[in-house]
Every structure is written in structure tokens, then in C-alpha cells.
Amino acid sequence: MVGLHTCGDLAPNTLRIFTSKSEIKGVCSVGCCYHLLSEEFENQHKERTQEKWGFPMCHYLKEERWCCGRNARMSACLALERVAAGQGLPTESLFYRAVLQDIIKDCYGITKCDRHVGKIYSKCSSFLDYVRRSLKKLGLDESKLPEKIIMNYYEKYKPRMNELEAFNMLKVVLAPCIETLILLDRLCYLKEQEDIAWSALVKLFDPVKSPRCYAVIALKKQQ
């Protein structure tokens, strides 16, 4: 059973299918999109009906009631090797997004929204254009915001762009730690199964070309 870039919960579910079906003798799973993983011990105050969770899988982390949280899982998706190779971080687009969030909070009183701005930065000619397009996508009245107010926000936060870059660089440096935790949780889950003959984390790809380069691989015992 092979899964290349199995998104979110598809990776842990692939391993569960492998362990539950005797006819499947081997598995090779490369996960991705950690931010889409469901977590058993996240938002514990909410009523939940889900039985199987993306994280944690192994007994130890379940006993510890371990929770990463969405921010940590988002960080796990970052690509340290690409940054180290000089491809850098999209600092300006992140800056635009952060200032937009402040504008929406201050001017519209919105802190949470089901709609998404998406990847529109590359289509925009300026910060002003970015804000106008974003407000349209979010269904907000852009006539409420004159150009001067938008640009005042830009000028107010522009001197802090270096802080944003430093913060995101810290997230990139910590990313492998969080990804490794998620991958080792999956590996430990396989190690706990009695009918597994061999299991390991194997680096399959060049991390600059494919940041999610590790596969969880396992083989069952011969009957």
C-alpha cells in the first residue's frame, strides 16, 4: 500500500488500514498538510463524535494527552531546507496578510471568518490592491475604507517587518522538530503492532524539491 503526499488524516488512516487488513503486506506512506490533521486532545471542551484521530496515534502520546495545536502543525509544513538553500520566506505576502487581519479586526469588528482570502498576493500590484481584492473575497464593504486609512495601517506596521521575518524564521527553524514528532508518533504506532516485522522512517526525496521527504515504511511478518 503506497501513499505519496497523503494529506492530513489520510496518512494515519493509511497506516490503520495497513495494520487492520491481513492481505496488505507492506506500506509506504509520505504524509503532508499537517495543519489538516485532526487532534484528539485539541479543543477538549467541545463535544466530539469522532472515533479515530490523526494525532496522536501511539500509546505513549495518548497517555500523555499530547496536543500540538494548529499553529504548531502549520509550522511543521514549512521548509527549512528551501530557506537554507536561499529560496527564502514570502515575507511581504505574510506582512500583507498580517496587516489585513488587523484592518478587518479594527474596522469591521471581525476576529473569525469562515471565508478565505486565498493566494491572491501574486495577482496584486500593491498593498492597496491586495486589501481591496481581499475585502471583496470576504464579502466586506470596501467603500467603508478610504485609501488613506488603508495606507496609514501600512505605514504604521512597515517598520516592524523585520520582526515578522525574525518570528517566521524561528518557526522555520522549529519546523523539523514538530514534523519529527508527528512522524515518530506514526512510527511508534507501527512498532506497537505485533505482526510488524520491520518499520522505519526513510528519507526518499530531496527536501529542497519536496520538503515532505520522509516515508513511514513497514513490512509485516511472513505467515
Side-chain angles (χ1 to χ4, degrees):
M1 192 173 189
V2 178
L4 292 179
H5 296 268
T6 45
C7 185
D9 282 357
L10 184 56
N13 285 336
T14 298
L15 300 181
R16 288 192 182 101
I17 293 168
F18 164 68
T19 57
S20 65
K21 300 290 182 183
S22 60
E23 60 267 36
I24 304 174
K25 305 302 181 186
V27 68
C28 174
S29 172
V30 181
C32 72
C33 304
Y34 301 125
H35 60 294
L36 297 177
L37 275 174
S38 62
E39 287 200 65
E40 185 172 358
F41 303 110
E42 187 178 29
N43 301 321
Q44 293 184 58
H45 60 283
K46 291 185 179 179
E47 189 176 333
R48 299 168 300 172
T49 56
Q50 191 170 334
E51 292 182 9
K52 300 293 184 184
W53 300 88
F55 182 88
M57 295 188 75
C58 73
H59 287 314
Y60 175 73
L61 290 183
K62 280 180 176 291
E63 287 173 359
E64 293 292 317
R65 303 179 70 83
W66 192 278
C67 174
C68 289
R70 182 174 168 81
N71 282 338
R73 297 195 316 272
M74 286 288 288
S75 297
C77 298
L78 297 172
L80 175 62
E81 288 84 359
R82 282 185 177 175
V83 174
Q87 294 187 22
L89 285 165
T91 303
E92 189 173 68
S93 64
L94 292 169
F95 173 72
Y96 278 17
R97 179 65 184 80
V99 179
L100 172 71
Q101 185 171 328
D102 225 40
I103 290 172
I104 291 171
K105 184 178 73 175
D106 291 351
C107 301
Y108 296 90
I110 297 171
T111 54
K112 286 189 177 180
C113 182
D114 292 333
R115 297 189 184 186
H116 298 280
V117 171
K119 297 179 179 180
I120 64 167
Y121 170 78
S122 59
K123 302 170 189 171
C124 300
S125 58
S126 64
F127 177 70
L128 181 65
D129 185 30
Y130 177 86
V131 172
R132 295 287 189 217
R133 285 174 183 249
S134 299
L135 293 176
K136 278 183 183 177
K137 284 199 77 173
L138 296 171
L140 298 173
D141 181 11
E142 60 175 302
S143 65
K144 196 174 175 181
L145 277 182
E147 180 179 333
K148 186 178 179 183
I149 289 178
I150 294 172
M151 294 315 295
N152 280 347
Y153 272 90
Y154 179 80
E155 295 302 328
K156 175 186 174 183
Y157 287 111
K158 191 178 178 182
R160 300 190 66 185
M161 198 184 289
N162 286 342
E163 292 176 47
L164 180 67
E165 189 163 17
F167 176 72
N168 281 300
M169 192 60 73
L170 179 61
K171 287 174 69 176
V172 169
V173 170
L174 292 173
C177 302
I178 304 160
E179 180 177 26
T180 301
L181 173 68
I182 294 168
L183 294 176
L184 287 177
D185 172 56
R186 294 170 184 177
L187 182 63
C188 287
Y189 165 79
L190 292 173
K191 298 284 186 190
E192 291 166 358
Q193 313 305 313
E194 292 182 359
D195 61 342
I196 304 294
W198 177 85
S199 57
L201 280 178
V202 180
K203 191 174 184 179
L204 290 185
F205 310 119
D206 177 354
V208 176
K209 292 179 181 176
S210 180
R212 306 285 75 79
C213 60
Y214 285 97
V216 179
I217 301 178
L219 298 170
K220 282 182 183 164
K221 294 174 182 175
Q222 296 288 337
Q223 297 296 326

